[in-house]
Amino acid sequence: MKEINAKKIILMIADALIISALGGFLNLMFMWIDISRNVSVGNAFHIEWSTLTLVIALEVLFCFFALNVSGAYAFFWRLMGKGDYLRCVLGTTVGFGLSVSLMIFFGVFDNGFPLLLLLAQFALSLVAMIGFRVYAKKTVVKLTEVGRSENYERTLIIGAGRAAMMILTDIENAKKDPNNPSRNILPVGLVDDDRSKLGSKIMGVPVLGNSADIPQLCKQSSISLIVFAIPSCSEDDRQRILALCSQTQCKIKMVPYLSQLLFDDGNPQLLNQVKDIRIEDLLGREPITFDKEQTKDFVEGKVFMVTGGGGSIGSELVRQIAKYNPKQIVIVDIYENNAYDIQQELMLEYGDSVNVVTLIASVRDYEKMDRIFDKYRPEVVFHAAAHKHVPLMETSPEEAVKNNIYGTFNTATLAEKYLVEKFIMISTDKAVNPTNVMGATKRVCEMIVQYKAQHADKTDFITTRFGNVLGSNGSVIPLFRRQIENGKPVTVTHPDIIRYFMTIPEAVSLVLQAGAMAQGGEIFVLDMGEPVKITTLAENLIRMYGKVPYRDVEIKFTGLRPGEKLFEELLMNEEGLKSTENKKIFIGNQIAIDEVDLLEKLSRLRKFAENNDSDGVVEMLSEIVPTFNHKTNR
């Protein structure tokens, strides 16, 4: 509060000098006029100097009181705006009015009321007091620019608590190391919604305002970097503050959630853990948490097979399984580059401590997969291999059938043959009332898993269903990033299209948790919170690049693609929901499968697919999946 008190004293002195100087100057000027007019005392414009001293003293006293009550002394220079100038007008008017009223009541002006003098003094004092504030504001802001260099990143820190203090300490220590990139961070100020902190300082850096002031502060103080330093912030407040940050053109960095901070012997080096804001930070919900002990008990000491193990979901499955000491991980993928990447990543991370086998094979090839099952005898199979790009599968439906449906049928059949303990299939919300070939094939995959679950004795067959995964191959975020970085318009199919989103780690944690708690036949569904409007997602991502949507980066609406819905669903009409021990995971009720009918239709579908008959494939899919509406985009 010392800085606010110092500012208040400066303003009070300035106000007193302005009122006094103008009172004396105007009285002297009017005295010269009266002398030239040779008027009597009762008609004079000026007043006696002894009376003027009393008048000025009362004006200053009452103006101090009124300005203080109106809040005209309770702002910070950089934040001064129209409201503060209006408070100055109000305080000055009330102060002059009270002082003059009191002087009239006590008969100070018995020799004549100097109306012209008092009006001129009030008007000129008001103009001078506001002018001084405007000049002082510009001077203070200009002084903060002294020493500014292109090598320094002018930084605003959100939060004036312990995390901010630790960051400022790290910044100070970084200055001693010429090779530390953080030495170029220049903390200009902090913001905090605790009003008692306004005007205080942390390690010499002032608290400039509250979160609502972020856009204004960033503009006035030439901020280029915002550091969000409230690791324990509630999700609602986090989203509200990040929305304000996204209105600026600043880079935004985040201190991780409190539970994600790493502390090393009491020295957290918090600045090193500050990361670029991620698009998932703007989704509007907290990260989903899972029971790690249950997952550890499920994984430890077992042989795992992950089909599609090099893909976005499959590779994350492999990463998380590797953390819990499995006996062996068998990665199966047809795409050698992805398989090689995850293999090398695990070797670098774990060396020989994790037994990883990487195999290039297609789930379409029953004979090859049979040999793999026979040799490695997996105890748990995660089936993530699938064609999933909606537009591509619309033009090649027979390929979606061959890979998704018969790849699933092959692996599920082999899991049953080799007495795998659990077979977990990765599904999608696009399987619910599908409007595209990819979604229809995934619904057939779900039916196959449920069919297997109905008569399997030794193997638990499970389906996990969730929405879009941020950052996965084919998701909108990598596409949007490429478009922005290449200076191209961001393409969104429809202004009203919405989707459920989750992160890849969340999706994989759901799959592992489902595998741990499954007893066979379930369809596990994640409560993914509120759906997100894709247009909003695009706008936020553009702002994260420090650009303004529609001005710096165009958003072009291209129209719904073949088979694309405006919204996705997570449950079919026939399915209800049962809660589980994890409040974010639910189980859809099992739907009975007519095994004879399903197998007969799958046989016919296979013939269409093998003959590459696209029309026949789509027609047959519609017969197997009655809710498949291929002609209507919704």
Side-chain angles (χ1 to χ4, degrees):
M1 300 298 292
K2 292 181 179 179
E3 186 159 333
I4 282 186
N5 291 335
K7 177 214 65 180
K8 185 175 180 178
I9 292 171
I10 292 172
L11 281 180
M12 291 177 71
I13 292 173
D15 292 341
L17 289 175
I18 288 170
I19 294 171
S20 303
L22 284 173
F25 171 75
L26 289 171
N27 196 56
L28 182 63
M29 184 180 72
F30 283 128
M31 184 179 69
W32 288 340
I33 294 174
D34 288 338
I35 292 174
S36 65
R37 292 170 56 220
N38 194 24
V39 298
S40 61
V41 174
N43 295 321
F45 292 145
H46 76 286
I47 56 178
E48 296 297 324
W49 290 103
S50 58
T51 302
L52 180 65
T53 303
L54 175 62
V55 169
I56 290 175
L58 289 172
E59 287 172 343
V60 170
L61 180 64
F62 278 97
C63 280
F64 280 168
F65 169 76
L67 286 167
N68 193 55
V69 170
S70 68
Y73 292 136
F75 61 85
F76 206 87
W77 294 116
R78 294 178 185 84
L79 296 178
M80 193 185 303
K82 293 180 181 179
D84 299 295
Y85 300 134
L86 289 175
R87 280 187 279 274
C88 183
V89 171
L90 175 64
T92 306
T93 302
V94 172
F96 266 87
L98 287 175
S99 61
V100 171
S101 298
L102 187 67
M103 287 184 282
I104 291 175
F105 180 79
F106 284 104
V108 174
F109 303 120
D110 286 346
N111 292 330
F113 184 67
L115 176 63
L116 188 59
L117 170 63
L118 294 175
L119 285 176
Q121 184 193 16
F122 164 71
L124 291 176
S125 294
L126 183 58
V127 171
M129 289 161 70
I130 292 176
F132 176 80
R133 283 160 169 77
V134 172
Y135 173 79
K137 173 186 174 181
K138 290 182 178 179
T139 301
V140 168
V141 172
K142 187 175 181 180
L143 286 174
T144 62
E145 298 293 315
V146 174
R148 181 182 177 186
S149 168
E150 292 182 359
N151 295 325
Y152 283 92
E153 215 164 13
R154 295 176 61 80
T155 302
L156 180 71
I157 299 174
I158 300 174
R162 182 167 176 256
M165 185 179 297
M166 292 161 68
I167 286 175
L168 290 171
T169 301
D170 289 347
I171 292 172
E172 192 65 29
N173 291 335
K175 293 178 181 178
K176 303 172 185 177
D177 181 2
N179 298 318
N180 193 324
S182 298
R183 70 190 302 271
N184 294 324
I185 294 178
L186 179 65
V188 174
L190 306 101
V191 296
D192 198 289
D193 286 333
D194 183 350
R195 293 185 63 84
S196 67
K197 295 180 179 180
L198 181 63
S200 63
K201 287 185 177 182
I202 296 179
M203 296 182 64
V205 181
V207 179
L208 302 178
N210 58 36
S211 58
D213 301 315
I214 290 171
Q216 181 184 356
L217 275 172
C218 289
K219 182 178 180 180
Q220 292 179 346
S221 299
S222 303
I223 300 297
S224 60
L225 172 65
I226 297 174
V227 176
F228 191 105
I230 317 177
S232 60
C233 185
S234 71
E235 194 59 30
D236 288 344
D237 284 339
R238 182 180 290 258
Q239 300 309 315
R240 175 182 59 81
I241 295 172
L242 287 177
L244 290 166
C245 294
S246 69
Q247 295 175 20
T248 72
Q249 297 186 24
C250 302
K251 290 183 289 185
I252 307 170
K253 292 183 178 290
M254 300 278 294
V255 171
Y257 285 93
L258 195 60
S259 60
Q260 298 172 334
L261 288 175
L262 301 176
F263 292 85
D264 183 13
D265 297 327
N267 183 15
Q269 289 293 312
L270 198 58
L271 192 60
N272 294 336
Q273 299 183 58
V274 172
K275 305 296 182 185
D276 289 336
I277 185 174
R278 303 164 302 169
I279 195 69
E280 53 261 40
D281 291 319
L282 299 171
L283 288 184
R285 60 171 176 81
E286 295 183 16
I288 308 301
T289 57
F290 296 87
D291 184 351
K292 294 182 179 179
E293 283 301 316
Q294 188 178 23
T295 301
K296 181 181 178 182
D297 292 341
F298 169 56
V299 172
E300 195 169 26
K302 292 188 178 72
V303 178
F304 283 80
M305 175 188 287
V306 182
T307 68
S312 49
I313 295 294
S315 62
E316 181 64 21
L317 270 167
V318 171
R319 290 186 192 96
Q320 293 200 24
I321 290 169
K323 295 178 182 178
Y324 298 107
N325 194 28
K327 181 178 180 181
Q328 187 178 53
I329 303 175
V330 181
I331 300 171
V332 178
D333 203 302
I334 191 61
Y335 184 43
E336 61 177 304
N337 291 349
N338 282 350
Y340 177 78
D341 287 343
I342 186 63
Q343 179 195 50
Q344 295 301 306
E345 180 182 328
L346 292 180
M347 288 176 61
L348 185 64
E349 179 75 16
Y350 298 100
D352 296 330
S353 64
V354 176
N355 184 354
V356 178
V357 177
T358 305
L359 303 171
I360 304 303
S362 171
V363 292
R364 298 185 187 190
D365 188 340
Y366 182 87
E367 297 300 327
K368 177 67 177 290
M369 292 301 296
D370 185 35
R371 292 181 185 180
I372 293 173
F373 271 84
D374 185 33
K375 181 175 181 179
Y376 295 100
R377 301 286 171 153
E379 296 168 82
V380 179
V381 174
F382 286 104
H383 181 52
H387 286 327
K388 62 181 181 179
H389 290 266
V390 170
L392 294 180
M393 294 306 100
E394 288 299 301
T395 56
S396 303
E398 63 278 5
E399 296 305 312
V401 167
K402 294 173 187 176
N403 197 62
N404 295 0
I405 295 177
Y406 294 105
T408 298
F409 195 92
N410 287 344
T411 51
T413 300
L414 290 167
E416 184 179 17
K417 175 181 176 181
Y418 287 96
L419 304 179
V420 169
E421 292 178 12
K422 293 187 178 183
F423 177 93
I424 301 105
M425 202 253 323
I426 312 299
S427 190
T428 169
D429 56 359
K430 292 178 176 61
V432 180
N433 301 321
T435 59
N436 53 68
V437 167
M438 193 281 284
T441 61
K442 294 300 279 186
R443 176 55 196 153
V444 176
C445 292
E446 292 183 353
M447 295 169 71
I448 291 170
V449 173
Q450 287 179 284
Y451 148 67
K452 291 290 185 182
Q454 287 177 188
H455 66 77
D457 294 326
K458 303 294 185 180
T459 304
D460 293 333
F461 286 91
I462 305 108
T463 296
T464 57
R465 185 191 290 163
F466 44 81
N468 295 271
V469 180
L470 288 172
S472 66
N473 297 328
S475 76
V476 294
I477 302 305
L479 173 62
F480 288 169
R481 288 189 184 277
R482 287 195 300 270
Q483 290 171 332
I484 296 170
E485 290 166 2
N486 290 323
K488 304 292 184 182
V490 170
T491 55
V492 178
T493 57
H494 192 284
D496 297 323
I497 194 167
I498 60 176
R499 289 290 182 265
Y500 291 99
F501 279 98
M502 63 192 311
T503 66
I504 293 176
E506 285 176 331
V508 168
S509 295
L510 166 65
V511 174
L512 287 171
Q513 191 82 7
M517 67 174 62
Q519 296 178 347
E522 303 98 333
I523 293 181
F524 286 88
V525 180
L526 175 67
D527 176 7
M528 300 180 67
E530 293 299 318
V532 177
K533 200 171 183 180
I534 300 299
T535 304
T536 303
L537 204 60
E539 291 169 348
N540 286 335
L541 188 60
I542 291 169
R543 292 189 184 103
M544 283 165 50
Y545 275 86
K547 300 179 183 296
V548 179
Y550 308 104
R551 188 191 74 185
D552 301 328
V553 178
E554 180 187 357
I555 297 179
K556 184 181 292 184
F557 298 103
T558 57
L560 290 174
R561 299 174 298 182
E564 189 171 39
K565 297 181 183 181
L566 276 180
F567 63 92
E568 303 288 1
E569 305 151 277
L570 289 171
L571 278 179
M572 298 173 63
N573 293 333
E574 308 97 293
E575 297 170 334
L577 279 182
K578 293 188 296 185
S579 60
T580 69
E581 57 199 68
N582 188 310
K583 65 180 182 179
K584 291 292 184 178
I585 303 177
F586 298 88
I587 301 175
N589 292 329
Q590 298 182 38
I591 301 172
I593 301 295
D594 186 331
E595 299 177 12
V596 175
D597 180 66
L598 176 63
L599 292 176
E600 188 273 329
K601 288 177 178 176
L602 287 177
S603 179
R604 290 160 54 196
L605 177 63
R606 183 187 291 271
K607 293 178 181 177
F608 285 117
E610 289 175 347
N611 292 329
N612 295 314
D613 183 347
S614 298
D615 293 336
V617 162
V618 173
E619 184 177 341
M620 198 66 228
L621 283 173
S622 299
E623 190 173 336
I624 299 174
V625 184
T627 58
F628 179 30
N629 186 353
H630 194 238
K631 295 182 180 179
T632 304
N633 287 327
R634 293 185 301 160

